[in-house]
Coordinates of all heavy atoms in Angstrom, one line a residue:
Y64 N -114.1 -73.3 -6.9 CA -112.7 -73.4 -6.3 C -111.7 -72.7 -7.2 O -111.9 -72.6 -8.4 CB -112.3 -74.8 -6.2 CG -113.1 -75.7 -5.3 CD1 -113.9 -76.7 -5.8 CD2 -113.0 -75.5 -3.9 CE1 -114.7 -77.5 -4.9 CE2 -113.8 -76.3 -3.1 CZ -114.6 -77.3 -3.6 OH -115.3 -78.1 -2.7
G65 N -110.6 -72.2 -6.6 CA -109.5 -71.8 -7.4 C -108.7 -73.0 -7.9 O -109.1 -74.2 -7.6
D66 N -107.6 -72.8 -8.6 CA -106.7 -73.9 -8.9 C -106.4 -74.7 -7.7 O -106.1 -74.2 -6.6 CB -105.4 -73.4 -9.5 CG -105.6 -72.8 -10.9 OD1 -106.6 -73.0 -11.5 OD2 -104.6 -72.1 -11.4
R67 N -106.4 -76.0 -7.9 CA -106.1 -76.9 -6.7 C -105.1 -77.9 -7.1 O -105.1 -78.5 -8.2 CB -107.4 -77.6 -6.2 CG -108.2 -76.8 -5.3 CD -109.5 -77.6 -5.0 NE -110.3 -77.7 -6.2 CZ -111.3 -78.7 -6.3 NH1 -111.5 -79.4 -5.3 NH2 -111.9 -78.8 -7.4
F68 N -104.2 -78.1 -6.2 CA -103.2 -79.2 -6.3 C -103.4 -80.0 -5.1 O -103.5 -79.5 -3.9 CB -101.8 -78.6 -6.3 CG -100.7 -79.6 -6.1 CD1 -100.4 -80.5 -7.2 CD2 -99.9 -79.7 -5.0 CE1 -99.4 -81.4 -7.0 CE2 -98.9 -80.6 -4.9 CZ -98.7 -81.5 -5.8
W69 N -103.5 -81.4 -5.2 CA -103.6 -82.2 -4.1 C -102.8 -83.5 -4.2 O -102.5 -83.9 -5.2 CB -105.0 -82.5 -3.7 CG -105.8 -83.3 -4.5 CD1 -106.0 -84.7 -4.4 CD2 -106.6 -82.9 -5.6 NE1 -106.8 -85.2 -5.3 CE2 -107.3 -84.1 -6.1 CE3 -106.9 -81.7 -6.3 CZ2 -108.1 -84.1 -7.2 CZ3 -107.8 -81.7 -7.3 CH2 -108.4 -82.9 -7.8
I70 N -102.4 -84.0 -3.0 CA -101.7 -85.3 -3.0 C -102.4 -86.2 -2.0 O -102.9 -85.8 -0.9 CB -100.3 -85.1 -2.4 CG1 -99.5 -84.0 -3.2 CG2 -99.5 -86.3 -2.4 CD1 -98.2 -83.6 -2.7
D71 N -102.6 -87.4 -2.4 CA -103.2 -88.4 -1.6 C -102.1 -89.3 -1.0 O -101.2 -89.7 -1.7 CB -104.3 -89.3 -2.4 CG -105.5 -88.5 -2.6 OD1 -105.7 -87.4 -2.0 OD2 -106.3 -89.0 -3.4
F72 N -102.3 -89.6 0.3 CA -101.4 -90.5 1.0 C -102.2 -91.7 1.6 O -103.4 -91.5 2.0 CB -100.8 -89.7 2.2 CG -100.1 -88.5 1.8 CD1 -100.8 -87.3 1.7 CD2 -98.7 -88.4 1.6 CE1 -100.2 -86.1 1.3 CE2 -98.1 -87.3 1.2 CZ -98.8 -86.1 1.1
P73 N -101.5 -92.8 1.7 CA -102.2 -93.9 2.4 C -102.3 -93.6 3.9 O -101.5 -92.7 4.4 CB -101.3 -95.1 2.1 CG -100.0 -94.6 1.7 CD -100.2 -93.2 1.2
G74 N -103.1 -94.3 4.6 CA -103.3 -94.1 6.1 C -104.3 -93.0 6.3 O -104.4 -92.0 5.7
E75 N -105.0 -93.2 7.4 CA -106.1 -92.2 7.7 C -105.6 -91.0 8.6 O -105.0 -91.2 9.6 CB -107.2 -93.0 8.4 CG -108.5 -92.2 8.6 CD -109.7 -93.0 8.7 OE1 -109.9 -93.9 8.0 OE2 -110.4 -92.8 9.7
L76 N -106.0 -89.9 8.2 CA -105.8 -88.6 8.9 C -106.7 -88.6 10.2 O -107.8 -88.9 10.1 CB -106.1 -87.4 8.0 CG -105.8 -86.1 8.6 CD1 -104.3 -85.8 8.6 CD2 -106.5 -85.0 7.8
K77 N -106.1 -88.2 11.3 CA -106.9 -88.1 12.5 C -107.8 -86.9 12.5 O -109.0 -86.9 12.8 CB -106.0 -88.1 13.7 CG -105.7 -89.5 14.3 CD -105.2 -89.4 15.7 CE -104.4 -90.6 16.0 NZ -103.2 -90.3 16.7
N78 N -107.2 -85.7 12.3 CA -108.0 -84.4 12.4 C -108.0 -83.7 11.2 O -107.0 -82.9 10.9 CB -107.4 -83.5 13.5 CG -107.0 -84.3 14.8 OD1 -107.8 -85.0 15.4 ND2 -105.7 -84.3 15.1
P79 N -109.1 -83.7 10.4 CA -109.2 -82.9 9.2 C -109.1 -81.5 9.6 O -109.7 -81.1 10.7 CB -110.6 -83.3 8.6 CG -110.8 -84.6 9.1 CD -110.2 -84.7 10.5
R80 N -108.4 -80.6 8.8 CA -108.2 -79.2 9.3 C -108.0 -78.3 8.0 O -107.6 -78.8 7.0 CB -107.1 -79.1 10.2 CG -105.9 -79.8 9.7 CD -105.0 -80.1 10.9 NE -103.7 -80.7 10.5 CZ -103.3 -82.0 10.6 NH1 -104.2 -82.8 11.1 NH2 -102.2 -82.4 10.3
T81 N -108.3 -77.1 8.2 CA -108.0 -76.0 7.1 C -107.0 -75.0 7.7 O -107.2 -74.5 8.9 CB -109.3 -75.4 6.7 OG1 -110.1 -76.4 6.2 CG2 -109.0 -74.3 5.6
I82 N -106.0 -74.7 6.9 CA -105.0 -73.7 7.4 C -105.1 -72.5 6.4 O -105.0 -72.7 5.2 CB -103.6 -74.3 7.4 CG1 -103.6 -75.4 8.5 CG2 -102.6 -73.3 7.8 CD1 -102.7 -76.6 8.3
N83 N -105.3 -71.3 6.9 CA -105.4 -70.2 6.1 C -104.1 -70.0 5.3 O -103.0 -70.1 5.8 CB -105.6 -68.9 6.9 CG -107.0 -68.9 7.5 OD1 -107.9 -69.6 6.9 ND2 -107.2 -68.3 8.6
G84 N -104.2 -69.6 4.0 CA -103.1 -69.3 3.2 C -102.7 -67.8 3.3 O -103.2 -67.1 4.1
N85 N -101.8 -67.4 2.5 CA -101.4 -66.0 2.4 C -100.8 -65.8 1.0 O -100.6 -66.8 0.2 CB -100.4 -65.6 3.5 CG -99.1 -66.3 3.4 OD1 -98.3 -66.0 2.5 ND2 -98.9 -67.3 4.2
G86 N -100.7 -64.6 0.5 CA -100.2 -64.4 -0.8 C -101.1 -65.1 -1.9 O -102.3 -65.0 -1.8
L87 N -100.5 -65.9 -2.7 CA -101.2 -66.5 -3.8 C -102.1 -67.8 -3.3 O -103.0 -68.1 -4.0 CB -100.2 -67.1 -4.8 CG -100.6 -67.9 -6.0 CD1 -101.3 -66.9 -7.0 CD2 -99.5 -68.6 -6.6
I88 N -101.7 -68.3 -2.1 CA -102.4 -69.5 -1.7 C -103.6 -69.1 -0.8 O -103.5 -68.3 0.1 CB -101.5 -70.4 -0.9 CG1 -100.5 -71.0 -1.8 CG2 -102.3 -71.5 -0.1 CD1 -99.5 -71.9 -1.2
K89 N -104.8 -69.6 -1.2 CA -106.0 -69.3 -0.5 C -106.1 -70.1 0.8 O -106.2 -69.5 1.9 CB -107.2 -69.6 -1.4 CG -108.6 -69.2 -0.7 CD -109.7 -69.7 -1.6 CE -111.0 -69.6 -0.8 NZ -112.0 -70.5 -1.2
E90 N -106.0 -71.4 0.7 CA -105.9 -72.2 1.9 C -105.3 -73.5 1.7 O -105.2 -74.0 0.5 CB -107.3 -72.3 2.6 CG -108.3 -73.0 1.7 CD -109.7 -73.0 2.4 OE1 -110.1 -72.0 3.1 OE2 -110.5 -73.9 2.2
I91 N -104.9 -74.2 2.7 CA -104.4 -75.5 2.6 C -105.2 -76.4 3.5 O -105.5 -76.1 4.6 CB -102.9 -75.6 3.1 CG1 -102.1 -74.8 2.1 CG2 -102.4 -77.1 3.1 CD1 -100.6 -74.7 2.3
R92 N -105.8 -77.5 3.0 CA -106.6 -78.3 3.7 C -106.1 -79.7 3.9 O -105.5 -80.2 2.9 CB -108.0 -78.5 3.0 CG -108.8 -77.2 2.9 CD -110.2 -77.4 2.3 NE -110.1 -77.7 0.9 CZ -110.1 -76.8 -0.1 NH1 -110.1 -75.5 0.1 NH2 -110.1 -77.2 -1.4
L93 N -106.2 -80.3 5.0 CA -105.9 -81.7 5.2 C -107.1 -82.5 5.5 O -107.9 -82.1 6.4 CB -104.9 -81.8 6.4 CG -103.5 -81.4 6.0 CD1 -103.1 -80.1 6.8 CD2 -102.5 -82.4 6.1
G94 N -107.4 -83.4 4.6 CA -108.7 -84.1 4.7 C -108.6 -85.6 4.6 O -107.5 -86.2 4.5

Side-chain angles (χ1 to χ4, degrees):
Y64 298 109
D66 286 349
R67 276 174 299 161
F68 168 71
W69 71 92
I70 306 175
D71 285 348
F72 305 83
E75 188 159 308
L76 183 76
K77 267 199 206 135
N78 315 303
R80 52 201 184 255
T81 298
I82 295 149
N83 289 335
N85 64 75
L87 179 75
I88 291 181
K89 187 184 168 208
E90 61 185 32
I91 297 180
R92 297 185 289 272
L93 285 114

